[in-house]
């Protein structure tokens, strides 16, 4: 086999160009080759033989009518290639490929990302808006544009299954789950020894609590990821107060994720806890240069808008066919259900409250005051939950007070912080931590221990004297019976904070005919299969009630089967209430969510919480984010400490209750005045939503069922391989051998190309075929092998890159040359394009490339053209016309690159100006902080912003300035790279279509049937 220098060859299934050939002995040669495929250029030296080498035909288009193809497969191949090309501009390439009914607001994060040189963003949408869907759409778009291959998703442990299911169900994306060390070992067994899953697997889903460990973090982030997504990202924020900020393991994880990613997507409904340093730390993760709140309001809003996108449910509209708009999220209704209580029950609650407040006050000067206060919170809350929960709590406390060996080590500060912050914890972990707090917060003073034992014995004696059923459970049963009497098909989710309480409710339900065997239980610690099974049971017509704990509520989406929630107790962290409501008050809910909660009006604590919830709902109606308000309320632990201090035996009880409510109102007013503007972009956000509605109204390519792809694939595969089923839009597909591969199945019993069909079926029921699907990618790659890479035909025949089409008599004789062009920019492939150039026999260019696309969709069937006619018309001038067409295609591609370059330069100028302003404001902010720390500037008296905006004095101001300057330089380099559009390489010829009117053709077929 004769191989010459500069020839293309196929070695190891890759295309190379021969650089040098050196004879060794006999027929053995040393061949030096360089890669011609995408990616970094690579050179190799090989000995042939034993290495196998296959010469490839020239890429130049030759006039060889032995390679003439029928028009239909020629045009189909071009259309298929165009379907999978990477496009930089125009509408979104992949947003319609999700198995969802797309809403306008869901594509906004993707559009924001694509407009940034540094594609990182904080998505801080309201609870239930569908941040997982928004992240999935962004992921699809970045994959379709060739921007993303390696993807890491980090979530709380309880959300791993939900993410894994939704990514597969809605977007057809398979992820490898590494939930803990056992998961890592499971995945490792499928890989060669010494190969790390973190380095080689393209898509991994892992637990935040697992990857936050330093050794795991270092291994997982050793190789850079294209895209990292973090759910419940507020856990990564800096903790503590402005005067005492500190970093947690999760905070350090956040900074490591930023450094290890090309794009970082943070998801949270609670970006702000009332402290500016905490919010700033989240902004720093996605856009370090924007993390300053110094300067004009316009500059601050611009920086936050660049870093964060945030919408409330009340803002989200859907455009109807008549031009009117409707709310996407139905209004919800929240109402408290008072629990009627007898004298003994109220006496019990008062005794518990008095014991807890007195014990807390007695330990106020002690070293473990905070731990004791936390233990008393647990006692109080469980007393307000159920009698059984209180009894178990008293037992744990008494045993530890009486016996030293029953005491336990105190939980670590991080465990306590997680419990206080309401971060997702499993039932077992929460119970274990609570028990350790109860058994470790024991006073050293024997007198105090005896006082506690006496008080707890008195409470237990009164508790055991109560003979009738727990009145709270009775009230719940009456409410359920009333609902079911009004509507026998109604379903209700009942949430409780404690397993002990859940067991009490379960035991009562089992004794009631209307509820026995008509409820199911969802608690923490269940396997994925068990959770799915319980949700399926709840969705069955005979099941009325789902009894769930908070741990089980993670990732629970029941908006399609239920719209009623009853909170068995009022959590002291009202944010937990909002998270529970979000199980039904979320995207896809078609009924108005009905939220109810049980409370004791005679309990000082629940009376305060009842009033606060009424106020929170009123604030929500005024379009202020509930999670924001709750974050401010919970941030410093002020509510919990205030509630545990309430003593029913105190003369100042009513004043203390009023003070707590008033404090909430003051904090809310302060928040709305000073911090809410940071989280809302006001008119610009409203404008963006209106523009998105207009986009979905007018941009029909974004939304339709992909009927063109369906027709195209059916024509290519034929009716034998792609047969319709009895269901409209669903097909059986027998995949030909040429298109089968590692990710392509041999047979798809049910498949659809229509988004609206796919959105009504589960992924395991109907396969959704889109341009991103492995089957379409495999088909497109086969087309590229023929037209772009020009692989040889198996039978040794010339590659079929030519075709002929008989056209209308009014059209001139011409050739449609097709070219493949690509524009490089921003450090990678920016855009691919199919360039059809039509040229007459006289060498004149006919029409524009955009107009010439129509010849790839020619539907009218006319006669065939003979090879003799083609030879006569084009044989002598083909090469000349081909070179003229190449010049025209090159000009078109250069113009496209220049247009992109102009757009990028305009954007870059704006970005640089904004960056300079950000630098100026940030340095001024550091200067002022330095002066304050040195006492050079007196604080203004009565300044209400201090609790929000003043960071604790610190040293190292020069270091901070250096860090800021370094971040600015990094952004400048990113903008420079973003701006750079490389001069495109000449377009590569794909094929040629001879366009011949009927009068110039002979009515004889030029091809035999294949």
């Amino acid at each position: 086999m004769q191989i010459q220098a500069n020839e293309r060859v196929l070695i190891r299934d890759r295309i190379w160009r021969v650089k040098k050939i050196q004879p060794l002995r006999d027929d053995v040669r040393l061949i030096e080759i360089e890669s011609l495929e995408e990616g970094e250029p690579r050179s190799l030296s090989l000995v042939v033989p034993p290495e196998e080498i296959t010469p490839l035909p020239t890429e130049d288009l030759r006039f060889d009518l032995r390679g003439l193809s029928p028009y239909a497969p020629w045009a189909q191949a071009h259309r298929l290639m165009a379907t999978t090309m990477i496009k930089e501009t125009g509408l979104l390439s992949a947003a319609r490929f999700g198995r969802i009914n797309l809403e306008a607001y869901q594509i906004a994060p993707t559009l924001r990302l694509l407009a940034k040189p540094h594609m990182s963003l904080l998505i801080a949408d309201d609870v239930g808006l569908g941040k997982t869907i928004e992240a999935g759409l962004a992921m699809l778009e970045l994959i379709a544009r060739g921007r993303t291959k390696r993807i890491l998703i980090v979530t709380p442990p309880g959300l791993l299954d939900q993410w894994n299911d939704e990514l597969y169900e809605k977007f057809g994306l398979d992820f490898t789950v590494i939930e803990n060390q056992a998961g890592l070992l499971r995945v490792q067994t499928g890989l060669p020894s010494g190969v790390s899953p973190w380095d080689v697997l393209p898509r991994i889903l892992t637990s935040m609590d697992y990857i936050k460990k330093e050794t795991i973090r270092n291994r997982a982030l050793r190789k850079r990821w294209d895209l990292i997504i973090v759910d419940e990202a507020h856990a990564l924020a800096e903790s503590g107060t402005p005067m005492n900020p500190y970093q947690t393991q999760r905070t350090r994880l956040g900074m490591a994720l930023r450094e290890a990613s090309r794009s970082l997507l943070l998801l949270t409904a609670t970006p702000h806890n009332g402290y500016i340093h905490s919010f700033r730390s989240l902004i720093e993760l996605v856009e370090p240069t924007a993390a300053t709140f110094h300067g004009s309001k316009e500059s601050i809003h611009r920086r936050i808008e660049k870093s964060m996108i945030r919408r409330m449910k009340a803002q989200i509209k859907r455009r109807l066919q008549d031009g009117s708009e409707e709310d996407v999220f139905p209004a919800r209704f929240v109402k408290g259900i008072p629990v009627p209580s007898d004298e003994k029950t109220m006496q019990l609650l008062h005794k518990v409250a008095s014991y807890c407040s007195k014990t807390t006050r007695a330990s106020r000067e002690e070293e473990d005051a905070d731990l004791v206060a936390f233990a008393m919170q647990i006692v109080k809350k469980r007393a307000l939950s159920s009698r059984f929960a209180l009894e178990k709590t008293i037992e744990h406390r008494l045993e530890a007070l009486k016996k030293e060996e029953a005491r336990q080590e105190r939980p670590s500060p991080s465990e306590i912080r997680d419990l206080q912050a309401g971060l997702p914890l499993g039932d077992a972990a929460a119970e274990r931590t609570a028990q350790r707090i109860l058994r470790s917060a024991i006073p050293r003073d024997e007198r105090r221990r005896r006082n506690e034992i006496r008080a707890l014995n008195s409470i237990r004696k009164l508790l055991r004297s109560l003979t009738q059923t727990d009145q709270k459970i009775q009230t719940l049963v009456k409410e359920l019976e009333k609902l079911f009497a009004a509507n026998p098909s109604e379903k209700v989710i009942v949430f409780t904070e404690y397993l002990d309480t859940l067991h009490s409710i379960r035991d009562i339900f089992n004794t009631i005919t209307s509820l026995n065997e008509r409820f199911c239980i969802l608690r923490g610690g269940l396997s994925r299969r068990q959770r799915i099974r319980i949700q399926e049971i709840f969705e069955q017509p005979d099941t009325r009630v789902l009894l769930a704990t908070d741990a089980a509520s993670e990732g629970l989406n029941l908006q399609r089967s239920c719209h009623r929630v009853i909170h068995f107790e009022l959590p002291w962290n009202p944010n937990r209430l909002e998270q529970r409501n979000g199980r039904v008050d979320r995207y896809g809910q078609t009924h108005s969510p009905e939220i109810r909660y049980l409370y004791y009006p005679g309990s000082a604590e629940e009376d305060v919480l009842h009033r606060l919830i009424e106020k929170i709902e009123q604030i929500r109606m005024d379009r202020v984010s509930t999670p924001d308000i709750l974050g401010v309320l919970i941030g410093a632990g002020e509510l919990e400490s205030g509630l545990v201090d309430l003593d029913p035996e105190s003369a100042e009880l009513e004043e203390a209750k009023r003070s707590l409510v008033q404090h909430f109102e003051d904090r809310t007013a302060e928040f709305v005045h000073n911090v809410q503007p940071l989280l809302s972009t006001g008119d610009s956000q409203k404008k963006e939503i209106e523009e998105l509605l207009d986009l979905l109204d007018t941009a029909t390519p974004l939304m339709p069922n992909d009927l063109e792809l369906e027709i195209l694939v059916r024509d290519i595969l034929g009716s034998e391989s792609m047969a319709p089923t009895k269901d409209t839009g669903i097909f059986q597909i027998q995949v030909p051998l040429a298109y089968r591969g590692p990710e392509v199945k041999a047979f798809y019993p049910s498949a659809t190309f229509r988004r609206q069909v796919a959105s009504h079926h589960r992924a395991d029921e109907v396969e959704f075929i889109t341009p991103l699907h492995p089957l379409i990618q495999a088909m497109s790659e086969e087309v590229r092998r023929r037209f772009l890479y020009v692989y040889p035909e198996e039978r040794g025949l010339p590659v079929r890159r030519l075709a002929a089409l008989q056209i209308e008599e009014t059209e001139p004789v011409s050739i449609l040359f097709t070219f493949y062009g690509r524009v490089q920019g921003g450090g990678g492939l920016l855009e691919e394009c199919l360039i059809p150039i039509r040229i007459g026999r006289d060498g004149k260019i006919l029409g524009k490339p955009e107009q010439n696309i129509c010849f790839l969709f020619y539907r009218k069937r006319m006669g065939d053209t003979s090879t003799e006619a083609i030879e006569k018309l084009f044989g002598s001038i083909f090469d000349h016309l081909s070179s003229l067409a190449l010049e025209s295609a090159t000009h078109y591609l250069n113009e496209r690159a220049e247009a992109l370059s102009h757009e990028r330069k305009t954007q870059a100028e704006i970005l640089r100006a904004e960056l300079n302003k950000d630098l100026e404001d940030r340095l001024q902010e550091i200067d002022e902080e330095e002066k304050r720390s040195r006492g050079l500037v007196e604080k203004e008296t009565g300044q209400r912003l201090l609790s929000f905006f003043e960071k604790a004095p610190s040293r190292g101001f020069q270091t901070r300035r250096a860090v800021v300057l370094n971040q600015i330089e990094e952004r400048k380099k990113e903008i420079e790279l973003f701006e750079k559009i490389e001069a495109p390489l000449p377009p590569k010829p794909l094929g040629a279509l001879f366009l011949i009117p009927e009068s110039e053709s002979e009515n004889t077929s030029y091809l035999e049937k294949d």
Side-chain angles (χ1 to χ4, degrees), residues 476-485 488 490 508-519 541-545:
L476 171 65
V477 170
K478 288 179 182 177
E479 179 67 17
L480 291 173
E481 289 177 337
K482 184 174 71 174
L483 289 174
F484 298 147
E490 197 72 82
I508 298 299
F509 280 10
N510 283 333
T511 65
I512 299 172
T513 304
S514 61
L515 292 172
N516 184 27
E517 297 185 356
R518 306 196 74 177
F519 70 95
D542 290 341
T543 307
R544 300 284 187 82
V545 181

Side-chain angles (χ1 to χ4, degrees), residues 633-697:
L633 185 64
I634 302 305
E638 296 163 338
L639 178 62
E640 291 96 329
S641 60
L643 290 173
V644 82
D645 280 343
L646 292 177
D647 185 353
E649 295 181 3
S650 168
E652 289 85 27
L653 176 63
E654 289 304 317
E655 179 57 33
K657 288 164 59 178
R658 276 195 301 272
S659 177
L660 268 178
V661 175
Q662 185 62 50
H663 179 66
F664 169 73
E665 292 178 339
D666 291 343
R667 291 280 284 170
T668 300
E670 186 177 14
F671 171 86
V672 171
H673 183 266
N674 296 322
V675 179
Q676 179 68 11
L678 293 179
L679 300 178
S680 173
T681 52
D683 292 338
S684 63
Q685 205 163 61
K686 182 180 179 182
K687 181 181 177 183
E688 180 181 52
I689 290 171
E690 290 173 351
E691 288 174 349
L692 288 169
L693 285 170
D694 292 338
L695 178 66
L696 290 196
D697 252 6

Side-chain angles (χ1 to χ4, degrees), residues 680-968:
S680 173
T681 52
D683 292 338
S684 63
Q685 205 163 61
K686 182 180 179 182
K687 181 181 177 183
E688 180 181 52
I689 290 171
E690 290 173 351
E691 288 174 349
L692 288 169
L693 285 170
D694 292 338
L695 178 66
L696 290 196
D697 252 6
T698 59
T700 52
L702 187 65
M703 289 297 288
N705 292 311
D706 212 332
L707 296 179
E708 179 60 39
L709 182 63
E710 177 184 308
I711 294 168
L712 178 60
V713 175
R714 186 186 62 199
D715 289 345
I716 293 173
L717 296 183
S719 57
E720 291 184 2
S721 292
M722 181 171 161
T725 67
K726 60 182 178 60
D727 298 312
T728 302
I730 298 179
F731 300 85
Q732 285 186 344
I733 300 178
Q734 186 74 44
V735 179
L737 286 172
Y739 304 136
R740 295 183 190 176
E743 297 183 12
V744 182
K745 299 176 184 176
F747 179 64
Y748 295 96
S750 296
T752 187
F753 298 79
R754 308 183 188 188
R755 179 178 47 78
Q756 290 179 347
V757 173
S759 65
H760 288 90
H761 292 84
R762 295 201 315 266
D764 58 356
E765 295 175 338
V766 177
E767 190 84 9
F768 186 22
I769 310 291
T770 75
L772 292 181
H773 191 276
L775 172 60
I776 304 302
Q777 293 291 318
M779 294 174 69
S780 176
E781 186 59 27
E782 188 63 26
V783 169
R784 288 180 181 237
R785 288 168 64 91
R786 171 183 165 191
F787 285 93
L788 184 58
Y789 309 140
V790 197
Y791 278 39
E793 289 280 335
E794 290 183 3
R795 294 172 290 178
L797 299 173
V799 181
R800 295 179 141 198
R801 301 166 71 193
L802 307 179
L805 177 66
Q806 191 177 116
I807 55 176
E808 301 285 352
E809 191 64 37
T810 54
E811 295 285 349
V813 175
S814 56
I815 305 179
L816 183 75
F817 289 96
T818 55
F819 297 89
Y820 168 83
R822 52 189 293 149
V823 180
Q824 298 279 141
L829 175 61
L830 197 61
E831 180 172 290
E832 297 176 300
C833 52
L834 177 66
I835 311 172
I837 302 295
R838 188 184 179 195
I839 187 167
R841 295 184 75 249
D842 58 359
K844 184 178 179 181
I845 302 297
L846 305 173
K848 296 180 179 180
E850 295 83 3
Q851 298 168 326
N852 294 332
I853 290 288
C854 66
F855 290 103
L856 302 179
F857 293 84
Y858 213 77
R859 303 292 189 194
K860 189 174 181 181
R861 179 63 181 165
M862 301 181 71
D864 291 328
T865 302
S866 70
T867 55
E868 291 82 2
I870 298 171
E871 178 75 45
K872 178 182 175 182
L873 289 169
F874 300 109
S876 61
I877 60 174
F878 183 86
D879 289 344
H880 174 63
L881 296 181
S882 178
S883 63
L884 293 177
L886 176 60
E887 288 179 14
S888 179
T890 301
H891 179 71
Y892 173 86
L893 188 60
N894 287 334
E895 281 190 334
R896 182 75 199 110
E898 288 174 9
L900 286 172
S901 179
H902 177 73
E903 290 174 12
R904 289 292 179 95
K905 284 180 178 176
T906 302
Q907 289 176 274
E909 288 174 5
I910 296 171
L911 291 169
R912 287 191 183 97
E914 292 176 348
L915 196 61
N916 290 333
K917 179 59 178 170
D918 294 344
L919 174 61
E920 178 186 342
D921 287 344
R922 183 69 181 113
L923 292 178
Q924 286 183 6
E925 187 176 43
I926 293 174
D927 289 344
E928 291 182 10
E929 289 176 5
E930 184 176 20
K931 289 177 181 177
R932 279 198 298 271
S933 73
R934 295 177 178 177
L936 301 177
V937 177
E938 292 185 4
K939 298 178 180 134
E940 298 177 21
T941 56
Q943 186 179 1
R944 297 182 69 190
L945 290 180
L946 289 180
S947 63
F948 286 106
F949 291 99
E950 184 167 307
K951 192 162 181 169
S954 63
R955 297 179 180 177
F957 290 99
Q958 288 303 323
T959 301
R960 290 167 62 184
R961 290 187 184 94
V963 169
V964 169
L965 291 171
N966 184 57
Q967 291 169 343
I968 293 290

Side-chain angles (χ1 to χ4, degrees), residues 332 334-336 574 577-578 597 606-627 629-630 633 639 657-669 672:
R332 82 180 185 202
V334 180
K335 182 181 177 183
L577 209 69
E578 190 64 22
Y597 57 89
E606 298 220 323
D607 183 37
V608 168
L609 289 169
H610 170 62
R611 289 193 228 171
L612 291 184
I613 287 169
E614 288 184 332
K615 292 180 180 296
I616 288 167
E617 282 302 304
Q618 183 56 52
I619 291 168
R620 188 182 62 81
M621 298 293 286
D622 294 335
R623 296 193 177 186
V624 176
S625 164
T626 305
I629 294 298
L630 298 177
L633 185 64
L639 178 62
K657 288 164 59 178
R658 276 195 301 272
S659 177
L660 268 178
V661 175
Q662 185 62 50
H663 179 66
F664 169 73
E665 292 178 339
D666 291 343
R667 291 280 284 170
T668 300
V672 171

